[in-house]
Amino acid sequence: MTTSISQLEDALTTLTSTTTQALSTSHALSRRTRHLSTLTTPASETSSSLTQASTNLTSTLALLRDAREKFDTVVDCEPSIERLYRGAKEAAESRERRDHPNNIYNVPNDTSSLIDNKRYFNDDDTMTLATLNGTVIGLTEQDVYAAADSLEIIRDAHMYFQKRPKWTSSKTASTGLQRVHQLGVDGMCTLIKCHLLNAGPAIRMKRGWALKRNADDATIDSRGASTIATNTTFGTRRGGGAANPHAQETARDTRERLSAALQNRDLMKSVGEYEESLPLDTRTVRELRAMFECLGGNSCYLNPATTPKPEDIMKALSRYQAAAGKVSRTEKIGSGHYTRLAMTNIDTGYHHLNAYTEARRSVAYQSMQLFYKNLRSERKKEWDRRASSGGDIAEVESGELDSSARDAVRCLEHAMVIVAGEKSIYRCVVSPTSSHTHDTLKIPLEYKYALVASYSSVCGIVVDRVLDIIELFFVKDASLRNPTSKSAASAEGSGLD
């Protein structure tokens, strides 16, 4: 019994000693753990900081790369824009050398550009020659697209620097971008004007009438169009056969014909010897659309200092508006114009719309002017032929008066066709609705007004010319029955004789 108790005491003593050692070892391990934690915590924090720094460096590198690309925008985009500008200028100079117009609103001395093989109707100008660094190059369709893309890139880069005005180099970079952008805008406007001038009148002779007049000087090209010359005023050809089915119409016949056309909603098919036609080939249409889309809205401006305010544009456009009842003659009868308002080149506030307006006004006016001059010339020849035949003077004068009236109506109908043709050009390449990415809500209101004003200006020059023609008939031609009035009108002069 005593032995068992001693053994238990020894075992308890051993257990106590072991527990004490275990506690001592546990405390030591705890101290070492805390020491190790103290050593590893800074390393973890440093690793986290390094990770964050790496992320920041990557983001900074991306920003620096983006900034470098923006700073290199001028160097990257200037060659394509300069190529377009030089090509457009060379094309414009080539057209000027070919046509030699004396005045944009008067018929040139050499009207062969409108009626021979070198007329504006040609579609074979698929490449415009230009020089860059002394090397002859060809301005292709891809060059136009590249320049349009470059202008978009320049606008993005300019906006990038506008958001960072505190950068020291932002002002210098913006100035360079504005210079190249203006060069591109000038080049595109020049090319737009050149294309629209080269296109010629947006009309062609009706196919049936052209076939009847095939024996005359009028010719038919491969597309069924013809020159805008007209050789028969009194309705008969030298070889017989009527070229104009309305040549002997009376005023009543004309009213009935036009009234019936209005009721059948086919007015344009019943008026004039010509019909509307789009004179642009597909390549030119694509180029013009690309340029108008690129410059649409306020995209033709980059420098905030030169960008007109919407209220300034609206105020400027209001100067060209006039109530119908307040439009009166300001020019001499027979001078070729009716009112000074139509003679003024409109400033829409957008460079590309100004180029469109100036080009199409010139072409439309020349088309109307040449048509009228050919009618007048043929009528004078017929007058001389009839007067020399020894017939009754009163009958000859009466026939001349009736012919003059019919020619005035023909000019009015021809003007309607010209306006319809100009509408086809406007809707095809100028109007924003021609774009696949068209969004009416994104078009500024002042730009819509500018579009309407530009098209109205083109149509206005035609209407202005017709008003002068009609009034000239009443003042001068209709005075043939009254010798006194005739003498007074002749003394006043028509400006076209």
Side-chain angles (χ1 to χ4, degrees):
M1 184 66 179
T2 305
T3 304
S4 299
I5 292 173
S6 299
Q7 291 177 349
L8 288 174
E9 290 179 350
D10 292 340
L12 183 60
T13 302
T14 302
L15 181 60
T16 302
S17 176
T18 302
T19 301
T20 303
Q21 291 179 0
L23 288 173
S24 177
T25 303
S26 177
H27 287 307
L29 287 174
S30 179
R31 288 194 303 270
R32 288 184 175 86
T33 300
R34 287 193 299 270
H35 181 65
L36 183 61
S37 178
T38 304
L39 295 176
T40 57
T41 298
S44 298
E45 294 176 354
T46 303
S47 177
S48 178
S49 299
L50 289 174
T51 302
Q52 184 64 33
S54 176
T55 304
N56 292 338
L57 287 174
T58 303
S59 177
T60 303
L61 182 61
L63 291 175
L64 289 175
R65 187 181 297 109
D66 189 24
R68 178 62 183 271
E69 291 178 356
K70 301 301 182 185
F71 279 109
D72 291 341
T73 300
V74 172
V75 177
D76 296 338
C77 298
E78 189 170 12
S80 61
I81 291 179
E82 185 177 357
R83 183 185 183 95
L84 173 72
Y85 179 79
R86 291 179 179 272
K89 294 295 287 185
E90 181 65 23
E93 292 173 0
S94 176
R95 185 191 59 79
E96 292 292 336
R97 289 194 298 268
R98 181 189 64 189
D99 297 334
H100 301 290
N102 294 331
N103 190 298
I104 193 169
Y105 292 122
N106 289 321
V107 177
N109 291 334
D110 179 14
T111 57
S112 61
S113 58
L114 293 176
I115 60 175
D116 63 9
N117 293 330
K118 296 184 293 183
R119 65 191 188 281
Y120 293 145
F121 284 110
N122 53 6
D123 291 339
D124 55 353
D125 296 334
T126 56
M127 183 173 290
T128 302
L129 295 181
T131 58
L132 181 61
N133 297 327
T135 305
V136 177
I137 61 174
L139 186 61
T140 63
E141 184 178 357
Q142 295 303 321
D143 293 330
V144 177
Y145 295 152
D149 293 339
S150 296
L151 287 182
E152 294 288 347
I153 295 173
I154 288 175
R155 283 194 285 267
D156 293 340
H158 188 268
M159 185 179 299
Y160 177 87
F161 289 114
Q162 290 295 107
K163 293 180 179 179
R164 295 162 177 81
K166 294 183 179 180
W167 287 8
T168 306
S169 55
S170 290
K171 185 176 181 180
T172 304
S174 298
T175 302
L177 292 171
Q178 292 169 8
R179 176 185 61 82
V180 179
H181 183 270
Q182 187 61 44
L183 185 69
V185 172
D186 293 341
M188 283 192 174
C189 291
T190 302
L191 189 58
I192 287 173
K193 184 176 178 180
C194 186
H195 277 330
L196 294 177
L197 283 173
N198 288 337
I203 58 174
R204 65 181 179 185
M205 181 171 286
K206 294 180 178 178
R207 184 70 179 179
W209 289 25
L211 292 176
K212 292 180 181 179
R213 297 177 56 178
N214 198 27
D216 290 335
D217 295 337
T219 58
I220 308 170
D221 63 19
S222 59
R223 296 177 301 168
S226 73
T227 65
I228 66 172
T230 175
N231 302 320
T232 306
T233 299
F234 288 87
T236 57
R237 298 189 319 202
R238 296 295 189 270
N244 180 4
H246 310 310
Q248 301 299 328
E249 275 187 342
T250 63
R252 180 178 180 179
D253 294 335
T254 302
R255 285 194 297 270
E256 291 177 352
R257 173 170 60 88
L258 297 180
S259 298
L262 286 173
Q263 292 178 358
N264 298 329
R265 296 184 179 182
D266 58 351
L267 178 63
M268 298 311 299
K269 294 181 180 180
S270 303
V271 300
E273 305 167 30
Y274 295 80
E275 61 185 359
E276 61 177 291
S277 173
L278 185 65
L280 302 170
D281 60 282
T282 55
R283 174 182 181 268
T284 305
V285 169
R286 290 194 299 268
E287 289 185 5
L288 288 172
R289 283 184 176 178
M291 289 186 286
F292 274 100
E293 287 182 22
C294 178
L295 301 178
N298 293 324
S299 299
C300 58
Y301 293 102
L302 196 63
N303 187 356
T306 59
T307 303
K309 297 180 180 179
E311 53 271 19
D312 295 336
I313 294 178
M314 300 293 285
K315 183 178 179 180
L317 292 176
S318 64
R319 298 199 305 265
Y320 304 100
Q321 298 176 359
K326 295 183 179 180
V327 176
S328 59
R329 173 176 286 279
T330 60
E331 305 303 309
K332 184 179 179 181
I333 296 177
S335 64
H337 293 281
Y338 183 82
T339 176
R340 188 178 296 106
L341 181 64
M343 298 171 60
T344 306
N345 263 335
I346 187 172
D347 183 9
T348 62
Y350 299 92
H351 303 304
H352 57 295
L353 294 183
N354 292 342
Y356 154 75
T357 305
E358 184 177 352
R360 295 313 304 174
R361 277 170 60 91
S362 175
V363 174
Y365 184 86
Q366 291 184 39
S367 177
M368 189 70 245
Q369 181 78 323
L370 186 57
F371 182 83
Y372 173 68
K373 286 180 71 70
N374 284 329
L375 290 180
R376 191 176 181 85
S377 176
E378 290 299 322
R379 193 168 69 247
K380 286 183 178 180
K381 292 180 182 178
E382 187 68 16
W383 163 268
D384 294 339
R385 185 184 67 80
R386 291 188 176 187
S388 61
S389 63
D392 186 5
I393 298 299
E395 182 180 353
V396 172
E397 290 183 350
S398 176
E400 166 65 8
L401 180 62
D402 294 339
S403 179
S404 299
R406 280 191 291 267
D407 286 350
V409 174
R410 291 172 68 184
C411 287
L412 179 60
E413 295 182 359
H414 191 71
M416 296 169 61
V417 179
I418 292 176
V419 170
E422 293 303 322
K423 181 180 179 180
S424 66
I425 292 181
Y426 171 81
R427 297 183 65 179
C428 180
V429 298
V430 182
S431 174
T433 57
S434 62
S435 172
H436 298 292
T437 59
H438 166 67
D439 187 357
T440 305
L441 298 177
K442 295 182 179 180
I443 302 176
L445 179 62
E446 62 274 11
Y447 188 66
K448 294 180 181 180
Y449 275 90
L451 287 168
V452 174
S454 62
Y455 174 68
S456 300
S457 179
V458 175
C459 299
I461 194 67
V462 180
V463 176
D464 178 83
R465 185 68 189 96
V466 171
L467 288 175
D468 182 66
I469 292 173
I470 294 176
E471 191 162 319
L472 178 64
F473 162 75
F474 284 109
V475 172
K476 183 177 181 180
D477 295 332
S479 300
L480 291 175
R481 296 179 185 269
N482 189 340
T484 304
S485 301
K486 177 181 177 181
S487 301
S490 300
E492 182 182 3
S494 66
L496 294 176
D497 293 334

